[in-house]
Amino acid sequence: MTTLTVNGIETTLDVPPRTHLADALRETLGLTGTHLGCEHGVCGACTVELDGSPARACIAFAAACAGAVVRTIEGFEYDSVMAELRAAFTAHHALQCGYCTPGMLITARDIVLRIPGADEARVRRELAGNLCRCTGYQGIVDAILAVLAARRG
Amino acid sequence: MADGGSGKGVGARLPRKEDDRFLRGKGRFVADIRIPGMREVAFLRGPIAHARIGAITVPEAHRAAVFTASDLTDVAPIRAYSGLKGFRRSDQPVLATGKVRHVGEAVAMIVAATRAEAEDIAGLIDIAWEPLPALVDMAEARATTTRVHEEWPDNIVLETFVDDDLSDIAATAPIVIRRSLRTARQCMSPIEGRGVVAEWDGRLDQLVMWSSAQMPHITRSGLSECLGLDHGQIRVISPDVGGGFGYKGILLPEEVALGWLARRIGAPVRWIEDRFEQLSANANCREHAYELTAYADGEGTLLALDCEAMVDAGAYSSYPFSACLEAAQIASILPGPYRFGRYRCRTFSVATNKPPILPYRGVARTGVCYAIETVMDAIAEATGIDIETVRQRNLVRSEEMPYTNVTNKVFDSGDYPEALRRAAAALDIPTLRAQQASETGPVRTGVGLSIFCEQGAHGTAVYHGWGIPMVPGHEQAQARLTPDGVLELRIGAHSHGQGMETSLAQVAHTILGINPAAVRLVHGDTALTPYSTGTWGSRSAVMSGGAVAAACETLAKRIAAIGAHLLQAEAGSVRVEDGSVVAPGGASVTLREVAHTWYRAPQLLPRDVDPAGLDVTAGYKPLSDGGTFSYAAHACAVTVDTETGFVTLGRYVIAEDGGVCLNPMIVDGQVLGGTAQGIGTALYEEMPYDGEAQPLAASLADYLLPGAGEIPRIAIEHMETPSPLTRFGQKGIGESGAIGPPAAIANAVNDALRPLGARVDALPITPRRILEALARAGR
Ligand code: FES
Ligand code: FES
């Protein structure tokens, strides 16, 4: 039994020790907005917020997350920074199939809050852990830069 | 702009309707589907590339959970034959039968409560393998007595020959170029893999299958052939698809297996491909080898081209495209956008012990563009003419359009020289040449160009010629006004990121004036949509766009007739615009009122109303089956660090022409995304195999997909030459971006290496290949 907070709700998971956090979120809690692209910790599709920072849910064991505070894409429904990013992602055509998008948004939100002065090169470097096969990244980078610029005023 | 100024029709950069659900994590992909009682499937895949399967021993406790070929006696193998003369037929068993022919071929299907438990059981199954020599290289496979398919006389799937006696030119041409080029085997790598959920509906006597598929109707036809069910007993639903690029344009053995299993065990079943399966069992595209001889005159005019090409077709012929399309297409499209008149080309599709080849975005085009553009740079080098001028001398010119080339392709429209001029001008080659002239250190600048045209949306005549199981005909669409005036569009093609929910709503807006927000696209479900070969071959904007327009035009007439009656106006005098029917005096009724009248107040209808109502099915074909030809020129600068072998991309410019764009923002997105894939082909992506045909890149840490840091900002220059063949002048362009980069980047790298006497003749251009080339040059 592992107790953790998921999207603001204290939750007890009863999953086998080998279950990774992404499977627990998806299969046990029905939070299918967290996607799996590699389960090797490379593609970033499974990125969630874990204790305030982006983390790969495919290489964290659920049983090791006791006491953790986890936020998935579903948990950002009313988040104002995420709302800005969503609008910018649409305006800059930053998604095609949408599969990488939840992980991309969680990383993007972290960039926006953590590095308010980030320029294009920095944004690209920070995105190194999130693969997108559809967009060629330009729309994603532009969307993040637009939110950064708007927040700088 | 064709959108009439509303900002919402054809030609508008309308934000996408589908974005919202993905941005909130509400997309529904196949792995998100839950059915009560659903069981999980894992496949036991052969660990050896070529081996006979001896006794399969399953522990007693797990017998009921394990299924092998001997259980699937009522399942026919997958058969994808081509009608091309000399094509060698082979069947692909759904589960390996007798022997395995590539690493990762499924041998047993295991069902359990969870995937992990199914994999545990797979680990307990013992198979007595009798290894056979593995064919890993296509040249070697042509020479050996080992057979991928024992009943064949050799390992050649198909040989094609475009014949011409070039000896007169060979004897006199002042310039003769020879090149041997190779491209690597790649894995298409959508971020979402494949996946299948299957359920047998006993009430309807119907198999219901959810699959991450580009071509659900073709999947259904294939399932029908393999499972012996009629089409009415099969419903295929393709939910949101997390990228395709060709990887999901296939009937999967796993689909057939799960379809059979769901019925057999009477429970819903699910299989979700993991990345290891994808990489180890399905690196299935792009591996070409070229032997090129080109003849040119002293002015740089290409006189003739002679080519022998091989494609590693892998072990089986995949449904529906078959194992020979790639090589056969090489022969027909190698001449590219150029106007030379003499051509000889021999191609071989060679069977090996590798995964069966599938057409990846661009299909053969990426390889042939690399080949012909390498030749162009070689002519430039031999003649001392600059790289832009040598191409300009050979390109088909706009005043020659429509142009029939040496392989009888009919280029529909465009200005190829202008695209090249724009891309080259935007790159600013003189400044880069000055930079090069000043370089003496280890870091060298290179400049590269490529230009190509892309046949898209080609139809019946072309595919009938290939003789494969799938021949596209008229594309159909349905347009239906609901009682409250919402427009439902139904198409048989499917989106895997192309944004058709938006672009087809724009088409409807252009015809009916209806707000795109009031248009819903229904696609990806064979029970709800008209038959279609699906989304492949850069065809949906042309084919589904044309079909939706045709359906909306007929619907507009029926709406006008009812509207005129309600307005007490002459039937022919009203206009349908802005979501209303408008009489000459300005009086109007909304589409909603018209729809309400048809469905809920029929007493108000005219007596001669069309009884077919507000529900239209229409079919569409372009004026010619030969396809549209979009085109693009790519121009790039690179720097090569000759000490480390690392390549850094500098400025990258694309001048492209896809005719009239339904939504230019979406087209840009396709070009940018395709270009990133092309950069992967050029510099990073390769599935190496060892001498036993074992794949050596088993995770995304070994198989390198380009990330945001590897892709430079790409500048796009737009041109817009309408196609004379299509409804709005649109051309197929979805694959375009993936075609040009390897050629342009390879030319740029070799331009940088030229002063050092080195040249790389293989893709991807890795640091190792660059350092080896420098070492060969004595550097
Ligand atoms: S699924 Fe976790 S990093 Fe790819
Ligand atoms: S939008 Fe498809 S992977 Fe990023």
Side-chain angles (χ1 to χ4, degrees):
Chain A
M1 292 285 191
T2 306
T3 300
L4 69 172
T5 304
V6 179
N7 297 337
I9 300 169
E10 193 174 278
T11 308
T12 299
L13 289 172
D14 180 13
V15 293
R18 64 181 169 184
T19 307
H20 60 59
L21 178 61
D23 269 351
L25 293 168
R26 291 175 48 79
E27 307 297 330
T28 310
L29 302 179
L31 295 168
T32 54
T34 299
H35 296 157
L36 289 169
C38 69
E39 295 174 272
H40 293 136
V42 182
C43 75
C46 65
T47 305
V48 298
E49 192 187 85
L50 181 66
D51 293 332
S53 296
R56 296 175 176 330
C58 73
I59 49 172
F61 285 116
C65 291
V69 177
V70 174
R71 254 211 292 188
T72 68
I73 188 66
E74 292 92 343
F76 291 96
E77 188 77 22
Y78 302 105
D79 180 85
S80 64
V81 183
M82 205 57 106
E84 291 168 40
L85 280 163
R86 285 194 184 103
F89 266 51
T90 283
H92 293 272
H93 191 26
L95 61 154
Q96 289 182 24
C97 79
Y99 196 78
C100 69
T101 307
M104 227 21 119
L105 282 169
I106 288 172
T107 298
R109 183 176 174 280
D110 175 65
I111 295 171
V112 165
L113 293 177
R114 187 166 48 83
I115 324 168
D119 62 3
E120 175 168 355
R122 182 71 191 270
V123 168
R124 284 185 184 269
R125 210 159 57 237
E126 292 286 332
L127 286 174
N130 289 76
L131 294 175
C132 173
R133 191 61 158 164
C134 298
T135 64
Y137 304 101
Q138 198 148 309
I140 297 169
V141 170
D142 286 345
I144 296 171
L145 289 172
V147 171
L148 283 165
R151 292 179 76 82
R152 286 194 294 259
Chain B
M1 288 282 141
D3 93 303
S6 71
K8 293 178 179 167
V10 167
R13 302 181 80 91
L14 191 69
R16 297 200 323 169
K17 289 160 59 74
E18 44 273 88
D19 284 358
D20 183 67
R21 65 177 182 271
F22 299 118
L23 291 164
R24 296 188 299 116
K26 303 294 183 212
R28 194 168 197 233
F29 298 91
V30 66
D32 302 339
I33 288 163
R34 297 282 171 285
I35 301 178
M38 187 168 74
R39 318 251 309 150
E40 300 278 348
V41 170
F43 286 92
L44 171 59
R45 296 180 183 277
I48 303 174
H50 197 194
R52 273 186 230 294
I53 305 170
I56 302 178
T57 311
V58 181
E60 190 59 46
H62 299 299
R63 287 269 165 82
V66 179
F67 301 86
T68 64
S70 62
D71 297 299
L72 273 63
T73 48
D74 49 346
V75 175
I78 295 170
R79 295 195 168 110
Y81 303 154
S82 163
L84 290 176
K85 195 163 164 289
F87 177 86
R88 293 242 170 74
R89 298 178 167 211
S90 63
D91 291 343
Q92 180 180 21
V94 171
L95 293 175
T97 306
K99 69 176 189 175
V100 287
R101 293 182 175 83
H102 66 89
V103 169
E105 187 172 352
V107 181
M109 170 166 61
I110 301 101
V111 61
T114 67
R115 170 69 174 253
E117 287 168 51
E119 288 182 10
D120 288 346
I121 294 170
L124 300 173
I125 298 172
D126 188 57
I127 300 178
W129 298 107
E130 295 168 37
L132 298 164
L135 298 176
V136 62
D137 180 77
M138 49 185 155
E140 174 196 318
R142 277 174 69 183
T144 176
T145 56
T146 301
R147 298 280 175 265
V148 176
H149 299 281
E150 272 85 4
E151 64 278 17
W152 289 10
D154 52 32
N155 291 309
I156 309 295
V157 183
L158 180 71
E159 184 180 340
T160 69
F161 205 26
V162 179
D163 205 5
D164 189 1
D165 181 0
L166 304 179
S167 53
D168 54 329
I169 292 181
T172 56
I175 290 171
V176 181
I177 308 284
R178 289 182 215 285
R179 287 286 185 278
S180 303
L181 303 175
R182 296 280 302 220
T183 64
R185 187 161 269 255
Q186 287 183 241
C187 195
M188 294 181 225
S189 309
I191 304 297
E192 181 208 36
R194 294 165 172 168
V196 180
V197 173
E199 177 179 35
W200 184 262
D201 183 332
R203 175 178 155 266
L204 296 176
D205 197 31
Q206 187 183 53
L207 171 66
V208 183
M209 180 176 291
W210 291 260
S211 181
S212 186
Q214 294 173 222
M215 302 153 46
H217 289 273
I218 296 298
T219 301
R220 183 194 195 203
S221 290
L223 287 169
S224 165
E225 288 165 27
C226 291
L227 294 173
L229 301 170
D230 63 48
H231 278 64
Q233 286 178 293
I234 303 168
R235 177 181 182 183
V236 177
I237 302 167
S238 185
D240 287 326
V241 174
F245 321 120
Y247 191 66
K248 300 167 182 175
I250 175 181
L251 172 68
L252 300 173
E254 291 89 349
E255 287 169 332
V256 180
L258 266 81
W260 177 89
L261 181 67
R263 189 181 194 185
R264 167 70 173 254
I265 67 171
V269 287
R270 171 171 89 157
W271 164 75
I272 303 299
E273 180 187 61
D274 67 26
R275 185 63 59 176
F276 177 74
E277 286 180 292
Q278 188 177 137
L279 287 166
S280 59
N282 288 303
N284 49 20
C285 58
R286 284 273 197 272
E287 192 174 0
H288 299 186
Y290 297 88
E291 295 294 333
L292 297 151
T293 307
Y295 304 97
D297 68 17
E299 312 303 311
T301 304
L302 178 58
L303 303 172
L305 184 62
D306 192 346
C307 172
E308 182 170 314
M310 282 188 288
V311 171
D312 186 328
Y316 293 108
S317 190
S318 289
Y319 187 101
F321 289 103
S322 91
C324 69
L325 216 58
E326 184 105 357
Q329 282 200 12
I330 287 177
S332 66
I333 63 179
L334 177 61
Y338 297 110
R339 46 208 294 282
F340 62 96
R342 301 284 300 277
Y343 179 53
R344 190 173 167 278
C345 185
R346 189 171 190 185
T347 75
F348 298 88
S349 304
V350 185
T352 63
N353 292 117
K354 291 193 213 155
I357 191 156
L358 283 186
Y360 173 34
R361 193 180 205 172
V363 201
R365 295 164 184 81
T366 304
V368 302
C369 178
Y370 170 53
I372 189 97
E373 292 301 296
T374 296
V375 166
M376 282 295 150
D377 266 26
I379 296 174
E381 184 180 2
T383 56
I385 299 169
D386 73 79
I387 55 175
E388 184 189 348
T389 305
V390 82
R391 287 175 171 80
Q392 294 289 10
R393 290 201 177 145
N394 289 288
L395 284 170
V396 172
R397 294 189 293 261
S398 64
E399 64 271 20
E400 294 173 306
M401 295 289 180
Y403 180 87
T404 304
N405 85 345
V406 67
T407 56
N408 285 319
K409 300 274 178 198
V410 182
F411 301 159
D412 53 345
S413 64
D415 190 341
Y416 302 170
E418 175 64 9
L420 182 66
R421 195 195 61 71
R422 286 200 200 185
L427 188 65
D428 188 9
I429 295 174
T431 303
L432 291 161
R433 292 289 182 224
Q435 161 75 18
Q436 286 178 310
S438 69
E439 286 170 349
T440 51
V443 177
R444 300 296 178 113
T445 298
V447 181
L449 298 177
S450 69
I451 182 164
F452 58 91
C453 55
E454 182 204 350
Q455 184 182 23
H458 30 327
T460 311
V462 175
Y463 280 86
H464 170 66
W466 298 117
I468 60 173
M470 180 189 81
V471 180
H474 283 86
E475 189 74 14
Q476 290 184 313
Q478 294 168 345
R480 172 191 297 167
L481 217 50
T482 62
D484 50 3
V486 165
L487 180 68
E488 278 181 7
L489 301 174
R490 291 160 190 265
I491 60 163
H494 193 39
S495 181
H496 40 285
Q498 293 89 342
M500 289 193 258
E501 291 169 51
T502 305
S503 53
L504 295 178
Q506 292 177 254
V507 169
H509 173 83
T510 295
I511 311 282
L512 293 167
I514 191 169
N515 189 337
V519 180
R520 290 186 80 93
L521 181 70
V522 178
H523 62 345
D525 186 338
T526 60
L528 302 176
T529 62
Y531 196 91
S532 166
T533 57
T535 297
W536 56 274
S538 296
R539 67 191 296 278
S540 295
V542 171
M543 302 303 296
S544 296
V548 164
C552 288
E553 277 157 356
T554 301
L555 185 62
K557 287 195 194 110
R558 299 202 193 147
I559 290 168
I562 296 173
H565 180 75
L566 295 176
L567 291 165
Q568 299 184 326
E570 281 296 315
S573 72
V574 300
R575 303 182 309 275
V576 179
E577 61 183 35
D578 255 349
S580 294
V581 181
V582 186
S588 66
V589 290
T590 62
L591 295 190
R592 186 190 177 104
E593 290 167 305
V594 169
H596 183 85
T597 306
W598 167 261
Y599 290 102
R600 311 195 64 178
Q603 67 277 11
L604 302 178
L605 291 167
R607 256 187 302 152
D608 62 348
V609 70
D610 187 332
L614 301 178
D615 196 341
V616 175
T617 300
Y620 172 79
K621 258 189 186 188
L623 297 176
S624 150
D625 271 341
T628 60
F629 285 81
S630 63
Y631 57 97
H634 287 220
C636 72
V638 302
T639 52
V640 180
D641 185 326
T642 56
E643 287 175 347
T644 64
F646 272 96
V647 175
T648 306
L649 292 176
R651 191 163 163 69
Y652 200 111
V653 187
I654 298 170
E656 53 89 357
D657 188 344
V660 173
C661 300
L662 301 184
N663 181 326
M665 178 192 79
I666 288 174
V667 171
D668 280 356
Q670 291 292 311
V671 170
L672 293 170
T675 300
Q677 293 184 4
I679 289 170
T681 299
L683 295 175
Y684 305 109
E685 294 180 39
E686 174 171 26
M687 177 61 73
Y689 287 82
D690 73 5
E692 308 296 317
Q694 286 288 337
L696 299 179
S699 80
L700 291 182
D702 316 303
Y703 187 89
L704 300 181
L705 299 177
E710 282 74 52
I711 305 297
R713 177 158 293 274
I714 288 156
I716 301 180
E717 297 259 331
H718 288 281
M719 295 169 60
E720 187 176 299
T721 314
S723 171
L725 306 175
T726 63
R727 174 60 181 80
F728 297 101
Q730 74 272 42
K731 298 184 176 191
I733 193 170
E735 301 170 76
S736 174
I739 298 169
I745 293 168
N747 281 338
V749 169
N750 285 331
D751 183 54
L753 297 178
R754 190 169 294 116
L756 305 172
R759 192 177 76 213
V760 178
D761 283 331
L763 300 178
I765 304 171
T766 55
R768 179 176 61 80
R769 289 201 171 96
I770 287 179
L771 295 178
E772 283 172 1
L774 286 164
R776 277 196 303 275
R779 297 280 172 168

